[in-house]
Amino acid sequence: MTQSVILTSVFREEVLAMAAYKVADAQGLIKLDAMENPYNWPEDIKKDWLETLKDCQLNRYPDADARQLTQTIRRLNQLSGQFDVLLGNGSDEIIQLLLMALPATASVLAPAPGFVMYKQLSDCLGLNYLGIPLLAGTFDLDLPAMLAAIERHQPSVIFLAYPNNPTGNLFSEASIQDIIKTAKGLVVIDEAYAPFAGASFINFLAQYDNLLVMRTVSKLGLAGLRLGYIIGNPAIIEQLNKIRLPYNINSLTQISADFAFSNKTLFDQQTQKICADRATVFQQLNELEGITAYPSAANFILFRTPENKATGIFLSIKKQGVLIKNLSGQGGLLSDCLRVTIGKPEENQAFLTALRTSLAQLNSMQ
Ligand SMILES: *Cc1c(COP(=O)(O)O)cnc(C)c1O
């Protein structure tokens, strides 16, 4: 048998049609592409952390229910006993296990542009993925279009990132509530960037049975740990828990995350610093001729470049040693758009300098 016959006889059509999610190689570059927190821990905190790891029993399986960490997460979010929490190996894993639980013919709905994994994982599972365009200009929800699509397709799950990635804005709270009320399926509010936004739907959980709130520690400053969680109605969490692999949160992550949460003030300070620097970068971007930066409630900024120049500018910035994210290839509302993560002040300045140089080059070529 030839290789291609083997592939087509073994793998699902959806899988054969997909491309793997590509992570850019950032070696030797200032990394402003992936919404990571740029700050490491002070030495004394690192020492305390290593101390907590010393007694970790790597010969044993992790606590399958991550009881201590779950308790900490409950306490931090002031969750009442009426809700349950499920932990995932990153919130990506939670999205995956939620979608794995759906019927093969189910529809999944999210605004477009949105977080790519919603579509990637839906496509992989052969689900009917619907991306409903956001309003041009504000990137807010097109409420009539969303409600019409919900009525028509009755999606099993709706994902709303709050703030949204890659646009950075918070959708209108009233629109989200209308969507939750109209939907007969689940509505997942993905709060990956909540620490930078100071806004959350956790307080709405008691009002809506079909509402779930998902969070991650990745953008907060612990991307290397791979830890996300979802909060909601126990009957729904119970179903998801059946699909979860028993030891999905490894021992080192359980201990390290619990330790990190005990140093919450450190993360709060870093978050405040990042938000202050976001305001500086936003202002400096908008002072550049030909650049439109969009207001952001997250730790990144989406900005529009002159027509058909985004990829050239992206490559020029990379050549100057700074890696950001090129979104222009996704087309639609993201045509000509690039996204930069807020880093340390000197990294942000290196990015702005590189962008200025590349814009000057563009102008001199005209
Ligand atoms: C980054 C991101 C995630 C993924 O987070 P992990 O916990 O690292 O898997 C989920 N949702 C949105 C909107 C994101 O931007």
Side-chain angles (χ1 to χ4, degrees):
M1 256 201 299
T2 67
Q3 195 70 8
S4 72
V5 174
I6 296 175
L7 294 183
T8 50
S9 65
V10 171
F11 294 104
R12 277 185 286 118
E13 231 176 279
E14 300 88 291
V15 175
L16 292 170
M18 281 172 65
Y21 182 84
K22 248 214 166 105
V23 176
D25 181 6
Q27 258 182 59
L29 300 172
I30 294 176
K31 197 169 183 316
L32 300 178
D33 66 324
M35 283 77 111
E36 292 145 324
N37 173 333
Y39 300 105
N40 212 322
W41 297 352
E43 284 307 315
D44 56 329
I45 292 191
K46 262 194 197 162
K47 229 179 109 211
D48 292 349
W49 166 56
L50 290 174
E51 200 57 37
T52 65
L53 290 180
K54 251 176 51 190
D55 297 327
C56 177
Q57 293 193 301
L58 289 180
N59 55 317
R60 300 289 178 198
Y61 280 107
D63 176 355
D65 296 319
R67 278 163 297 187
Q68 188 174 333
L69 178 56
T70 304
Q71 265 322 104
T72 302
I73 288 172
R74 296 192 76 101
R75 184 164 39 78
L76 278 178
N77 291 290
Q78 299 171 312
L79 288 190
S80 87
Q82 69 184 123
F83 306 116
D84 270 353
V85 183
L86 176 132
L87 309 193
N89 188 339
S91 42
D92 285 348
E93 190 194 37
I94 298 172
I95 300 167
Q96 182 184 48
L97 61 86
L98 178 54
L99 295 176
M100 280 168 64
L102 306 184
T105 56
S107 292
V108 177
L109 188 146
F115 181 49
V116 289
M117 293 313 286
Y118 307 148
K119 181 175 189 316
Q120 175 88 359
L121 292 167
S122 297
D123 286 351
C124 172
L125 292 162
L127 302 169
N128 179 34
Y129 183 83
L130 306 153
I132 310 301
L134 293 170
L135 298 171
T138 61
F139 297 125
D140 201 358
L141 295 165
D142 182 344
L143 187 62
M146 289 291 285
L147 296 182
I150 292 166
E151 296 285 358
R152 172 142 183 248
H153 298 282
Q154 297 295 327
S156 300
V157 178
I158 298 168
F159 288 104
L160 299 172
Y162 185 78
N164 190 40
N165 172 10
T167 55
N169 59 307
L170 286 167
F171 298 139
S172 120
E173 191 183 281
S175 296
I176 294 181
Q177 289 204 62
D178 280 349
I179 288 168
I180 299 170
K181 285 181 206 155
T182 304
K184 297 198 177 69
L186 304 179
V187 178
V188 178
I189 307 295
D190 180 348
E191 299 191 347
Y193 302 96
F196 308 98
S200 172
F201 267 73
I202 287 185
N203 288 333
F204 287 107
L205 281 167
Q207 257 178 70
Y208 303 110
D209 284 341
N210 60 339
L211 174 62
L212 295 158
V213 173
M214 184 168 70
R215 289 197 160 192
T216 173
V217 300
S218 296
K219 314 296 156 65
L220 181 66
L222 300 165
L225 285 185
R226 306 306 296 131
L227 178 72
Y229 55 94
I230 191 162
I231 308 166
N233 196 312
I236 296 169
I237 299 294
E238 186 188 349
Q239 303 311 311
L240 300 183
N241 208 23
K242 296 175 189 173
I243 298 161
R244 181 178 69 85
L245 294 174
Y247 306 112
N248 64 330
I249 312 299
N250 73 71
S251 305
L252 295 173
T253 294
Q254 291 189 29
I255 297 173
S256 303
D258 202 47
F259 171 82
F261 285 139
S262 72
N263 284 288
K264 194 173 166 297
T265 44
L266 175 67
F267 290 95
D268 290 344
Q269 284 161 4
Q270 292 178 346
T271 300
Q272 276 171 24
K273 171 83 181 119
I274 291 167
C275 288
D277 292 339
R278 172 181 71 196
T280 309
V281 175
F282 177 73
Q283 193 196 340
Q284 295 192 20
L285 273 172
N286 272 331
E287 281 167 7
L288 296 177
E289 183 148 351
I291 300 291
T292 306
Y294 296 99
S296 169
N299 64 339
F300 60 85
I301 295 176
L302 182 78
F303 61 99
R304 193 174 294 282
T305 62
E307 209 176 330
N308 295 323
K309 301 291 185 236
T311 298
I313 292 172
F314 167 78
L315 290 172
S316 157
I317 291 174
K318 190 171 169 191
K319 223 172 169 178
Q320 297 174 73
V322 183
L323 182 67
I324 61 169
K325 181 85 175 176
N326 182 6
L327 298 164
S328 64
Q330 291 186 35
L333 293 178
L334 294 178
S335 301
D336 307 315
C337 283
L338 302 174
R339 185 189 69 200
V340 62
T341 303
I342 304 302
K344 294 178 180 169
E346 61 271 25
E347 296 175 324
N348 302 333
Q349 288 314 314
F351 153 69
L352 286 160
T353 302
L355 175 57
R356 281 189 201 106
T357 303
S358 114
L359 289 171
Q361 278 165 359
L362 265 184
N363 281 335
S364 68
M365 284 189 313
Q366 277 167 2

